[in-house]
Amino acid sequence: MWDYTEKVKDHFINPRNVGEIDNPDGVGEVGSLACGDALKLTFKLDANKRIADVKFKTFGCASAIASSSALTEIIKGMTLEDAAKVTNKDIADYLGGLPDQKMHCSVMGKEALEAAIENYQTGSTKMHKLEGRVVCKCFGLTDKEIETVVRENDLLTVEQVTNYCKAGGGCGGCYKDIELIIESVQGEKAQIAKKAASKRPAKLTNIQKIQLIQEIIAEQVRPALKADGGDIDLIDIIGDDVVVAFRGMCANCKMAELTLRDVVQAKLQEYVSESITVTEQR
Ligand code: FES
């Protein structure tokens, strides 16, 4: 028996937004019954080009249903631009986590969303858009797809890759290629981390630290939030703990927790100190 969170169980037992929209603006279908999982996602936009309604039909296990349900809850009300930024990690985080062996369910949700957006933008109805060279012939996965999963989830082993996207879970003929992809992504990441560390000042006084945090929020964070109708205020700084408050659209956004971690905290850790943590004033 899998160790599911209460939220996974809730979304499996009471899935939200099940079904199919008539005359949808976008349709995305991924997976296949032969592989054991399949998902069809349909959405409708409102006059402001936000996702007014979204529904799913999933064939699969409890985590596939819960991931699809969570995805629809996350993207409802978003613009397609924002929805396109949702990662499989966001889906898993929304559910309070998924067992490693079930992470491919969250990846399937992200792929269905990508396919539905692609369908809206180009009219393409391809079940699965193949970009790059097919590496895993058993599951039809390309180097680009495996690379994205490795990068977004910081994967280190072939076994993890199999858990997240099934690649490597058949004959094993693609192990070497998957290992090379992992090595290349992790090498790139190490370079980026080295570069970021070199940008950080060696030692800051408290005053310098406060000034730098204010500067990064004003120049690197606020413009991105304002572009989406939101804003942010710096409330307090206690040691390495930074307290902020979201304003405007960001105040009621379902993705606020992720913005806090992946945008605000990530920027401050990159430019000020790796030990910075950011919390939201409630
Ligand atoms: S080619 Fe990847 S498992 Fe067979």
Side-chain angles (χ1 to χ4, degrees):
M1 185 68 186
W2 299 107
D3 189 13
Y4 287 131
T5 65
E6 286 308 312
K7 212 158 173 189
V8 172
K9 289 181 203 162
D10 177 35
H11 277 264
F12 168 55
I13 295 164
N14 308 296
R16 284 51 151 192
N17 311 306
V18 177
E20 195 170 335
I21 294 175
D22 286 337
N23 299 316
D25 289 319
V27 184
E29 287 185 76
V30 291
S32 74
L33 297 184
C35 288
D37 291 310
L39 165 58
K40 183 173 188 180
L41 191 81
T42 49
F43 70 75
K44 193 98 187 152
L45 298 178
D46 64 16
N48 298 317
K49 299 279 181 210
R50 287 185 178 271
I51 297 173
D53 198 8
V54 52
K55 291 196 186 300
F56 77 92
K57 276 184 175 171
T58 293
F59 173 83
C61 60
S63 42
I65 292 166
S67 294
S68 309
S69 170
L71 170 67
T72 58
E73 287 288 275
I74 292 171
I75 63 172
K76 208 181 255 189
M78 280 186 175
T79 60
L80 290 186
E81 200 187 2
D82 284 342
K85 292 180 200 153
V86 173
T87 65
N88 76 287
K89 200 166 176 302
D90 295 334
I91 299 170
D93 287 350
Y94 182 91
L95 290 167
L98 283 169
D100 279 353
Q101 297 87 337
K102 293 288 175 183
M103 283 300 288
H104 62 268
C105 297
S106 63
V107 175
M108 184 169 73
K110 178 197 151 76
E111 287 176 353
L113 175 60
E114 279 173 357
I117 294 175
E118 167 90 5
N119 170 250
Y120 169 75
Q121 289 169 338
T122 67
S124 162
T125 52
K126 272 185 265 171
M127 279 274 289
H128 188 59
K129 194 179 65 172
L130 285 185
E131 233 187 82
R133 173 180 64 92
V134 174
V135 163
C136 180
K137 295 183 182 71
C138 292
F139 291 97
L141 287 147
T142 67
D143 51 355
K144 293 271 173 242
E145 290 168 307
I146 297 170
E147 196 182 302
T148 303
V149 171
V150 170
R151 180 168 287 114
E152 289 184 352
N153 298 282
D154 202 20
L155 305 184
L156 300 169
T157 65
V158 175
E159 190 188 350
Q160 285 178 317
V161 171
T162 304
N163 288 337
Y164 278 67
C165 67
K166 296 192 177 178
C171 69
C174 55
Y175 277 20
K176 195 70 217 156
D177 281 336
I178 296 175
E179 273 171 359
L180 289 173
I181 293 171
I182 294 171
E183 271 171 36
S184 143
V185 171
Q186 292 303 341
E188 256 174 53
K189 283 193 159 189
Q191 284 298 326
I192 292 167
K194 214 170 144 190
K195 228 166 136 190
S198 70
K199 278 190 239 164
R200 282 196 293 268
K203 180 97 182 118
L204 291 170
T205 64
N206 274 343
I207 306 258
Q208 285 171 328
K209 184 153 100 179
I210 291 166
Q211 281 172 341
L212 189 55
I213 289 172
Q214 286 172 327
E215 210 176 291
I216 299 300
I217 288 181
E219 290 171 11
Q220 309 248 7
V221 179
R222 184 166 290 128
L225 301 189
K226 280 200 160 180
D228 283 333
D231 204 350
I232 186 170
D233 283 336
L234 178 62
I235 304 297
D236 205 355
I237 301 170
I238 309 144
D240 281 334
D241 299 329
V242 177
V243 184
V244 298
F246 283 130
R247 309 288 185 214
M249 292 289 282
C250 295
N252 304 311
C253 179
K254 284 172 275 187
M255 302 291 281
E257 212 177 297
L258 302 171
T259 306
L260 195 73
R261 188 194 64 206
D262 296 345
V263 179
V264 189
Q265 184 169 285
K267 284 282 176 202
L268 294 179
Q269 286 181 343
E270 183 180 348
Y271 289 98
V272 184
S273 160
E274 259 185 333
S275 45
I276 294 253
T277 55
V278 182
T279 51
E280 188 186 358
Q281 186 190 50
R282 295 281 177 189

